[in-house]
Amino acid sequence: MPDLLIELFSEEIPARMQARAADDLKKLVTNGLVDAGLTYASAAAFSTPRRLTLTVEGMLDASPSLVEERKGPKADAPEKAIEGFLRGAGLTRDQLEERDTPKGKILFAMINKPGRPAAEIVAEVLETTIRNFPWPKSMRWGSGSLRWVRPLHSILCILSAEDGAQTVPLTIDGITAGDTTRGHRFLAPDTITVSSFDDYSAKLKRAFVVLDPAERRDTIWNDATNMAFANGLEVVEDAGLLAEVAGLVEYPVVLMGQIGDDFLGLPPEVLQTSMKEHQKFFSVRNPKTGRIERFVTVANRTTADDGATILAGNEKVLSARLSDAKFFWENDLRIAQSEAGMQTWVDRLSNVTFHNKLGTQAELISRMEALAGELAPMVGADAEEARAAARFAKADLSSEMVYEFPELQGLMGSYYAKAAGKSDAIAAAAQDHYAPLGPSDDVPTAPVSIAVALAEKIDKLTGFWAIDEKPTGSKDPFALRRAALGVIRILVENDVSLDLSVALYSGLKLHGVEFGDASDEQDFANLDTKVNLVSFLHDRLKVYLKDQGTRHDIIDACIAMDGNDDLTLLVKRAKALSETLKTDDGENLIQGFKRANNILSQAEDADGVEYSFGADIKFAETEEERALFAALDTAEAQIKPAMEAQDFGTAMSAMASLRGPIDAFFDAVQVNSDNATVRRNRLNLLSRIRTICSSVADLTKIDG
């Protein structure tokens, strides 16, 4: 069984495209081979800045011969129909089989498809792959028609077996496949002839090319951390930057340089961002002070002076970049510490549009300020401090530093707020109010930060709802799903109880929404606008809880209850119910409840009355009935105060304790007794089961 080796050698491939391109090469080629009948044992793809490589091991040397059965027209069909079938099958009339079927005599063609050699199939599959490769961006060069991410120089394509290697015959746009490649552009640029993947990877390594990107990443990280450790420092982890730098070099050589003393006073995040964005440098931190004091760069070659010239050039360019950052920092500080202070930046935001239907950034800030003040008492924050925090939370959007590095917004606001003499709570809110941006981000925990972060997200949700810009399907251009998840996580993870009706009513009013007769939050609670928005939040809550192992039907059973505007209590109720239903008592109680509810509902429909009161123990005829009366009395006495105290665990446990008495009742008692009084009493007893259980959750929505 031969092994296949493919290398597509080109000018430098952008680092961000390499991993996806290697996966695409593997997928397209192996799928094409299998579709053509060539199975294989294993495959692996690799990438460097100048090459995509695929190795396929244990491949068949030819596709198997096949016999295809093709059903044709009826034997007595018109001659033209039969002739058309013969042309398509490539057969003559005497080569067809005539078979009896339930629909009469039918003609069948047995078409022999001989196997094809692997080299022929590989050539076809690889040409199709190259000509239809899904690059995000591609280019043409010279006079050819081929498109590739960068000019394609050569194609290596060989089939290797025990008796030697065979070059696959293939020519694309004047590029003929061969058995040669090249090593490192500067250190070993000569042609290399290879006979197998092992030979290929070994010769490339000797030619200063590390083929596996994972090996390059490990080399960079190990060398960088060891170099930093030797100097009493540590490298700031950045997985994204590590992957990108590994895609910029074929032979990584790690060098550590100095940052000028003039720049060591800059915030560490500024140094880190500037070096990462402009130079692709890793930041090296002093663990004792937290300052960024050095940098690590990765060269693509060794030099006679051990990288001294490279470092000198990098340090010179870095000094120029950091001079700009230092200027921005000092200029911003002068404004923050001036008499007008950060209000100068807030005023400038009146000329910056937030959304053409929702006003300017300054108007957004004004709404956030009002909302934060209302929310503050509900989350344990000082209202005046929350309003001040909201007023200055986005002020840094006007700063020069954030204009240069937008990813530092919020963080720089925190620095500037401290420089302006604002409280620690206001400074923290500037940094935290955007959070959480992703599902793994921490949520703000300080009361003022919570108030401002909620205000920012509630304003976004109510604003885009007010202008009817809701998410549709997979489209969510304004990240409203993320905002909703942020509200949920902030409330739930901080154990904050908040009536969403109040918050959403305030947010929509600030956006100028008119509610007609709905003059307060209670009236507002029944309006379609609010119901629609809360339903959206409930849908996001289902996703959030599903990721934590809570079933959708359990959440639905809790959403159906009063108080579902309080997401924190809703989550507590859902988790308590989920834990209860994991027990045997809880699971079996559902069956007993549904049996009671079904019997009761059928009787009420048939009799045209509601059996909702009047169950009296004096009409009980069996011990099981009397035991159920007692159990319901006990459970009700426990559930009612537990629900009032929001002790859902105790309430659910008391409800689950009914499982035994309910099962015993149904085993021993016939509800529809011939005695009308007894029957009515028993139906009213079932009504008590429904009422007591339904006070905890709507169990009719539970599956099973």
Side-chain angles (χ1 to χ4, degrees), residues 335-407:
I335 293 175
Q337 294 170 341
S338 67
E339 184 176 348
M342 297 176 73
Q343 187 62 42
T344 302
W345 289 332
V346 175
D347 293 341
R348 289 180 189 171
L349 290 175
S350 62
N351 298 316
V352 179
T353 300
F354 168 62
H355 184 277
N356 62 350
K357 293 183 179 179
L358 297 176
T360 65
Q361 288 281 0
E363 290 172 310
L364 164 63
I365 290 170
S366 178
R367 294 192 300 269
M368 282 177 54
E369 187 177 346
L371 266 176
E374 287 192 36
L375 294 171
M378 306 177 199
V379 300
D382 178 78
E384 190 55 42
E385 194 167 36
R387 280 192 287 268
R391 187 181 316 129
F392 298 115
K394 294 185 181 294
D396 65 346
L397 294 177
S398 296
S399 69
E400 293 187 54
M401 187 68 79
V402 171
Y403 183 82
E404 178 71 12
F405 300 114
E407 60 269 40

Side-chain angles (χ1 to χ4, degrees), residues 111-323:
I111 305 171
N112 292 315
K113 290 189 172 182
R116 300 166 62 204
E120 182 181 324
I121 294 173
V122 168
E124 288 182 2
V125 170
L126 184 54
E127 179 168 4
T128 300
T129 296
I130 291 174
R131 292 194 180 279
N132 298 282
F133 204 82
W135 291 110
K137 292 183 179 180
S138 58
M139 61 182 290
R140 281 199 314 235
W141 62 96
S143 58
S145 60
L146 179 66
R147 299 187 68 90
W148 202 246
V149 63
R150 295 290 186 271
L152 184 64
H153 289 317
S154 66
I155 301 171
L156 184 156
C157 188
I158 60 173
L159 289 167
S160 57
E162 292 181 359
D163 57 352
Q166 169 194 359
T167 300
V168 174
L170 170 67
T171 299
I172 302 177
D173 252 35
I175 304 172
T176 300
D179 59 357
T180 62
T181 185
R182 292 181 180 273
H184 192 280
R185 182 187 289 275
F186 306 112
L187 302 176
D190 295 335
T191 299
I192 302 168
T193 301
V194 301
S195 59
S196 67
F197 175 71
D198 289 341
D199 183 44
Y200 168 80
S201 58
K203 286 179 176 176
L204 278 183
K205 185 156 287 190
R206 289 196 295 270
F208 303 98
V209 175
V210 180
L211 182 64
D212 189 346
E215 184 180 346
R216 297 198 300 275
R217 288 196 297 270
D218 290 344
T219 297
I220 293 168
W221 186 248
N222 290 335
D223 289 355
T225 52
N226 288 338
M227 197 174 289
F229 182 77
N231 288 273
L233 305 172
E234 61 185 15
V235 183
V236 177
E237 289 191 41
D238 191 326
L241 179 59
L242 180 59
E244 183 177 8
V245 172
L248 296 174
V249 296
E250 289 195 318
Y251 187 72
V253 177
V254 174
L255 305 169
M256 187 160 70
Q258 299 278 355
I259 298 173
D261 292 341
D262 289 348
F263 309 119
L264 295 180
L266 287 171
E269 297 87 355
V270 171
L271 288 169
Q272 187 178 346
T273 302
S274 180
M275 292 193 296
K276 174 182 176 178
E277 295 300 317
H278 292 143
Q279 263 71 49
K280 309 304 177 189
F281 291 169
F282 293 91
S283 297
V284 181
R285 178 172 53 206
N286 185 328
K288 296 178 181 178
T289 64
R291 292 199 315 176
I292 304 296
E293 296 182 354
R294 296 194 185 184
F295 68 88
V296 162
T297 185
V298 182
N300 192 31
R301 59 174 298 172
T302 57
T303 61
D305 62 359
D306 293 327
T309 302
I310 294 174
L311 272 180
N314 280 324
E315 288 173 352
K316 184 177 180 180
V317 173
L318 178 61
S319 179
R321 290 290 189 185
L322 294 183
S323 293

